[in-house]
Amino acid sequence: MIIIMKPSATSAEVDSVVHRIRDLGQDVHLSAGEARTIIGILGDTQRLNRNSFEVMAGVEQALRVSQPFKVASREFQATDTVIDVRGVKIGGEHFVVMAGPCSVESRSQLLETAHAVKEAGAHILRGGAFKPRSSPYSFQGLGEEGLEYLVEAREQTGLPIITEVLGANEVPLVAQYTDILQIGARNMQNYRLLQAVGKVDTPVFLKRGMSSTLQDLLMAAEYILASGNYNVILCERGIRTFTRFTRNTFDINAIPALKQLTHLPVIADPSHGTGKWDLVAAVAKAGLIAGADGLMIEVHPHPAEAWSDGAQSLKPQRFAELMCDLRALAPLAHRLL
Amino acid sequence: MIIIMKPSATSAEVDSVVHRIRDLGQDVHLSAGEARTIIGILGDTQRLNRNSFEVMAGVEQALRVSQPFKVASREFQATDTVIDVRGVKIGGEHFVVMAGPCSVESRSQLLETAHAVKEAGAHILRGGAFKPRSSPYSFQGLGEEGLEYLVEAREQTGLPIITEVLGANEVPLVAQYTDILQIGARNMQNYRLLQAVGKVDTPVFLKRGMSSTLQDLLMAAEYILASGNYNVILCERGIRTFTRFTRNTFDINAIPALKQLTHLPVIADPSHGTGKWDLVAAVAKAGLIAGADGLMIEVHPHPAEAWSDGAQSLKPQRFAELMCDLRALAPLAHRLL
Amino acid sequence: MIIIMKPSATSAEVDSVVHRIRDLGQDVHLSAGEARTIIGILGDTQRLNRNSFEVMAGVEQALRVSQPFKVASREFQATDTVIDVRGVKIGGEHFVVMAGPCSVESRSQLLETAHAVKEAGAHILRGGAFKPRSSPYSFQGLGEEGLEYLVEAREQTGLPIITEVLGANEVPLVAQYTDILQIGARNMQNYRLLQAVGKVDTPVFLKRGMSSTLQDLLMAAEYILASGNYNVILCERGIRTFTRFTRNTFDINAIPALKQLTHLPVIADPSHGTGKWDLVAAVAKAGLIAGADGLMIEVHPHPAEAWSDGAQSLKPQRFAELMCDLRALAPLAHRLL
Amino acid sequence: MIIIMKPSATSAEVDSVVHRIRDLGQDVHLSAGEARTIIGILGDTQRLNRNSFEVMAGVEQALRVSQPFKVASREFQATDTVIDVRGVKIGGEHFVVMAGPCSVESRSQLLETAHAVKEAGAHILRGGAFKPRSSPYSFQGLGEEGLEYLVEAREQTGLPIITEVLGANEVPLVAQYTDILQIGARNMQNYRLLQAVGKVDTPVFLKRGMSSTLQDLLMAAEYILASGNYNVILCERGIRTFTRFTRNTFDINAIPALKQLTHLPVIADPSHGTGKWDLVAAVAKAGLIAGADGLMIEVHPHPAEAWSDGAQSLKPQRFAELMCDLRALAPLAHRLL
């Protein structure tokens, strides 16, 4: 059950409701928005009486959230969550493009790519410093050195940065450098990591697991939200199916479906979603038109020499062409780009 | 291997090449286009010498088609196949919209829908007369009575019609009424049916099987092409995956991938691809932008009372709104609509 | 709803019940077993009153079948269906082994294999005469010539034969030769073919489609049953999943699940279920232990030279070793072999 | 590349080879068995010359491992790995049964179950103290209190214990109590956790991810092996597919396939593999016959009241009956039970 306070509700009235809920043996989540405060009651609320809350001072409405994901649901918050990352808005009417190499391979590779994607119009720079690789014998990323290059690229271009964090222990270190913490598909149900990023303020970019249902994804987001970090961005990056021609099957249905189910921003990743650079532009544009709040695109100056994901990386020139197409399409999707 | 004749090649020169191939123990497929004739050599061509054909009079080039699907491949024919159905063009720069009810339920239901989709701008009327139902105890379609209503709707609206054929025996009957023969997903590898529709002139609309790879789909098309009917239209209608929120997973990757692999037109079916009417418009528009040559959309005047697929059918008003959006998007996809 | 007549019910009493049901506007299916007759009422039976039937003479019980598959369900018939094929029993306590080559390639190949599997203890000879091939340019089977070789092999070995039928038109021809008609996975929802084999007496071996749920399979069986042929054998042959090491994923869960849901015999096909000969024996034995009523195994004297499915075919010697293992295991699965 | 030393090789000879490899800029893994020592060379070994090692003193053979998983592969070690857990042998000719509740819910629930499974013949007690739950609002396990109950159950019954560890940070704590560390399916590619359990001695039970290929699973094992812990046990627990009747699809093919590919023990988990208690026994027995080295079975004294996974838990009596069946089957699978 969630309790929506009146816009005029005082903080004493909010406290009074919270106190009441706790007396009844339930825990709460507070969502204090600009206009009003919403109180989520956690756990089994079958035996609670909605009316008993609605008669309290400052309460506008008490309603039950039918979905297992509570704070993430549209029932909890009807308006889109908009997250501000160093002035770049994610969610709402904004369309955000995150671009950069799969891995940070060297200072020069990153800076070259950063300037190229900045010039083409990207808003956020991506790059992996800690890489989740299938083989323990493969390149595992430059680590903190990679984070330093990302910060240098941010300083030179003004682009906020996003990079992956692999373990709960590394959250403080990575959060010290990055503007957005990425949780990879393989860690989508790594609950200790979800809880750890839930305890910091840094926005979290949560990639859908390769065989996760939409509910699985939203429940993973709920772990972060329930830990106190409300700045969660979801990412559809393709699911694992029987298909062979493409690396994954980009689930275009998930875009409008998630926009119905949740108020959190939803980003499309056509690079992983297809695994083939020559399909990326078509799926990127489809993602925009289907309602995504933005894109994550892998760009590499020399894809053939990339240390990872070369086959799905765009060259800067092709990325620039894609940005032109996206700018032409954005108004028809009622988006600012 | 395929052999491309010069535009100036005489039919005697073509015959001479065909004769030579048959002497070598191979069978051929002739593709006589407006500009030139292309000869496909079937079977194992490893031991054939390309040069021995290129020195023959009238031959421009001999080349090997690496794909297992030959006549369907872009290697065989680089330019888009454009199919003319009573003046409606499918393929090339055209964007075609097929709309109508899942099942023809009654004369009035069909005519009401036909006029509504015509008014909204659809080009072709769909409607099932013979229905492939999961249960032998469910409504199986009106049969020939349904075909007669479709013809009446065509006469009233001028819209060409498309309807499904379930068995090889029924091809002559259904082809007598319809302008396009539809092969459903469950029959995609019903080879006797593929061969039967390959023996008539009527264009064939081939839906991807629910667990078919792109190669499976193109090999099924090849059965029709190899039987002599070159008027094949492919349809992506969603695949079966682990997801639960939607009935199928619309494979948006398949759209640009198929456009790379084949010259045949590719239509998107967001109604089956999602199974939910409120996701149809987003996925329809995504299909257009991703490169589809058209759409197939289920429209029903009263979805709640539909005998089949009500949950995924649009009301006429919503379909008209979608057509408006599509018309605005088409120029950005370099399409005529 | 189904109506179970008393063992002592007369045929006049049965007729009277049938008459009554038809008067109420419903259709019936009669299942006249040795001990008693069961009457299935088809269509929507919500408004029918169970009591109004139970007071009729000769009626023991009227009960509702909750499953969408009626005649196929365990609710309809609690005891196992046992099908007799020239003296070979399929179902019940019997464990049947069908073996032979994927394709009938020549008289000598078939006869050599037939004698080998007979000697090893197989009960039924399999072999494809009409082959459903992915490519129209591949070997499509020997056709009627293959059927003649199968009959000759039956005459020499005494083994009943099973072979696939691809189209409704060919059912009379193939049924003239074969003892069991096989419906392949790709035709599992070819309803015209299901109806055609439902109209003959010959037992039908129905393979699960590669992305069919258990309900899909049972509804396909229901098409045959509802057409009047109660001799239906189901086959689990692996489903299509994301896995790469094996051709399909043999769904071992389906074996005990189907035995719960239906009274029809359930056969395991570990050859297609794995696609690798060196996994066949392990999965074959697992199938027996999990409750299957039999096996279908591909055996070829020279797998490396097989025209189809060589990679999953056992050599006769390995098949004989497997039969030894199966005979040792059968008593522990409470089976006669 | 791996280097197999002669049985008579001295440790100085081994050191000399290791030294040589490191001089060439590669890292090594040493596998010092009873009979001989095997040295794995990690990283890209294309440029290394096998002959240059084979001429060194004490070297029997140098060979390349073609699989991406090196230490986990059968090429690396042909004989089965046998792991000793407080006297219970896992791998080789032994068949081990791990049983117990999904979650440790209370001292009495655990002790009651522990005595019941001990009496029925189980070898190892399972029970979750830290639970990976889909919802942050669900019971998350008793934590360390649960670990203490497990230890008490071990003291009372003599059964070694296995329990899940959720995060790298908790490895030291959990390893202090448990005999085997379980990595759940959702954490199969949590590389930080894999590396953490690779740094301790405690055997690791690694569950296959729900959409992991066999190679994915073996690469995850390789992370643990490459970190130094060679006591890795693999677990097939069902994969996520389109099926609906069962919670997962138990991949029986994976059992013989893994036994071919790796020397590590392979355990079957029919509880998660089916999700339905009434299918567990059939799939458990199938797993034994297909070649599994053991089983993990969920047992609960009162499944209807279980806090998690009640639907797939066996009652003690049914578990005891299953153990009887397994003991009868074991000799036919050439196993000691």
Side-chain angles (χ1 to χ4, degrees), chain B residues 100-169:
Chain B
C102 175
S103 301
V104 179
E105 296 168 9
S106 69
R107 182 172 172 276
S108 64
Q109 171 249 19
L110 183 68
L111 293 178
E112 180 183 350
T113 314
H115 284 285
V117 302
K118 162 77 175 182
E119 199 179 334
H123 309 96
I124 293 177
L125 176 66
R126 66 148 286 150
F130 295 96
K131 296 298 302 172
R133 302 304 299 280
S134 299
S135 171
Y137 312 129
S138 297
F139 170 62
Q140 307 277 315
L142 294 181
E144 194 164 357
E145 183 188 344
L147 298 177
E148 284 162 4
Y149 297 151
L150 284 164
V151 168
E152 186 177 352
R154 178 175 64 200
E155 284 164 2
Q156 290 193 15
T157 61
L159 296 176
I161 56 181
I162 174 172
T163 199
E164 182 161 356
V165 59
L166 288 181
N169 287 344

Side-chain angles (χ1 to χ4, degrees), chain B residues 63-100:
Chain B
L63 56 92
R64 296 188 186 281
V65 178
S66 55
Q67 300 284 12
F69 43 91
K70 305 294 178 196
V71 184
S73 76
R74 276 275 179 207
E75 292 172 80
F76 185 84
Q77 181 185 314
T79 58
D80 288 345
T81 284
V82 179
I83 297 171
D84 187 307
V85 180
R86 292 182 177 258
V88 173
K89 300 283 203 314
I90 305 174
E93 63 190 337
H94 310 279
F95 191 79
V96 68
V97 179
M98 308 177 181

Side-chain angles (χ1 to χ4, degrees), chain A:
Chain A
M1 196 190 292
I2 61 176
I3 296 177
I4 302 167
M5 302 302 292
K6 288 182 184 158
S8 58
T10 65
S11 65
E13 286 168 347
V14 171
D15 286 352
S16 173
V17 173
V18 169
H19 196 71
R20 173 100 206 285
I21 296 167
R22 290 194 172 135
D23 279 355
L24 290 164
Q26 308 283 146
D27 204 358
V28 308
H29 270 277
L30 276 185
S31 171
E34 281 178 45
R36 68 178 80 235
T37 292
I38 300 173
I39 303 168
I41 310 181
L42 307 180
D44 181 13
T45 61
Q46 296 281 353
R47 62 193 178 77
L48 299 185
N49 186 340
R50 280 175 51 217
N51 292 344
S52 71
F53 292 104
E54 291 193 342
V55 298
M56 293 183 74
V59 171
E60 187 169 296
Q61 198 184 355
L63 56 93
R64 297 189 185 279
V65 179
S66 55
Q67 301 284 12
F69 42 91
K70 305 293 179 200
V71 185
S73 76
R74 276 274 180 208
E75 292 173 79
F76 186 82
Q77 181 186 312
T79 57
D80 289 345
T81 284
V82 179
I83 297 171
D84 187 306
V85 180
R86 291 181 178 259
V88 173
K89 299 282 201 316
I90 305 175
E93 62 190 337
H94 310 279
F95 192 79
V96 69
V97 179
M98 310 179 179
C102 175
S103 300
V104 178
E105 296 168 10
S106 70
R107 182 173 173 277
S108 64
Q109 172 249 18
L110 184 67
L111 293 178
E112 180 183 351
T113 313
H115 284 286
V117 302
K118 163 75 175 182
E119 199 178 335
H123 310 98
I124 293 177
L125 176 67
R126 65 149 286 151
F130 295 97
K131 296 298 303 172
R133 302 305 300 279
S134 300
S135 170
Y137 312 128
S138 298
F139 171 62
Q140 307 278 315
L142 293 181
E144 194 164 359
E145 183 188 344
L147 298 176
E148 284 162 4
Y149 296 151
L150 283 164
V151 167
E152 185 176 353
R154 178 175 65 199
E155 284 164 3
Q156 289 193 14
T157 62
L159 297 175
I161 55 181
I162 173 171
T163 199
E164 182 162 354
V165 59
L166 289 180
N169 287 345
E170 294 151 66
V171 170
L173 172 75
V174 180
Q176 201 179 310
Y177 291 92
T178 196
D179 301 305
I180 307 177
L181 288 161
Q182 179 175 318
I183 307 284
R186 294 183 254 209
N187 272 327
M188 194 201 82
Q189 291 185 315
N190 176 344
Y191 296 123
R192 291 300 183 252
L193 180 56
L194 297 177
Q195 287 164 330
V197 299
K199 299 245 163 62
V200 297
D201 281 344
T202 316
V204 178
F205 185 85
L206 179 66
K207 299 192 92 171
R208 182 180 181 185
M210 64 177 73
S211 62
S212 299
T213 62
L214 298 188
Q215 182 169 319
D216 290 340
L217 172 60
L218 290 165
M219 292 309 290
E222 192 78 11
Y223 259 91
I224 304 171
L225 297 163
S227 298
N229 187 345
Y230 280 26
N231 297 311
V232 177
I233 303 155
L234 305 176
C235 178
E236 160 59 34
R237 45 74 74 201
I239 55 175
R240 189 169 265 193
T241 69
F242 62 84
T243 57
R244 306 263 155 152
F245 189 76
T246 51
R247 182 179 177 185
N248 291 298
T249 297
F250 185 83
D251 183 2
I252 190 84
N253 292 354
I255 304 293
L258 286 170
K259 295 301 294 177
Q260 277 179 19
L261 294 168
T262 184
H263 52 85
L264 299 172
V266 176
I267 305 293
D269 173 351
S271 302
H272 287 87
T274 63
K276 294 196 160 178
W277 69 265
D278 53 1
L279 302 178
V280 165
V283 176
K285 290 183 282 183
L288 163 58
I289 290 299
D293 296 299
L295 295 169
M296 171 167 274
I297 310 262
E298 291 191 346
V299 177
H300 195 286
H302 312 289
E305 296 157 26
W307 297 1
S308 56
D309 284 355
Q312 70 194 35
S313 295
L314 292 186
K315 291 182 184 170
Q317 177 57 28
R318 287 212 171 80
F319 175 68
E321 289 161 14
L322 171 58
M323 288 300 295
C324 283
D325 288 356
L326 293 168
R327 269 189 291 266
L329 282 171
L332 289 164
H334 312 291
R335 293 286 184 168
L336 302 178
L337 172 61

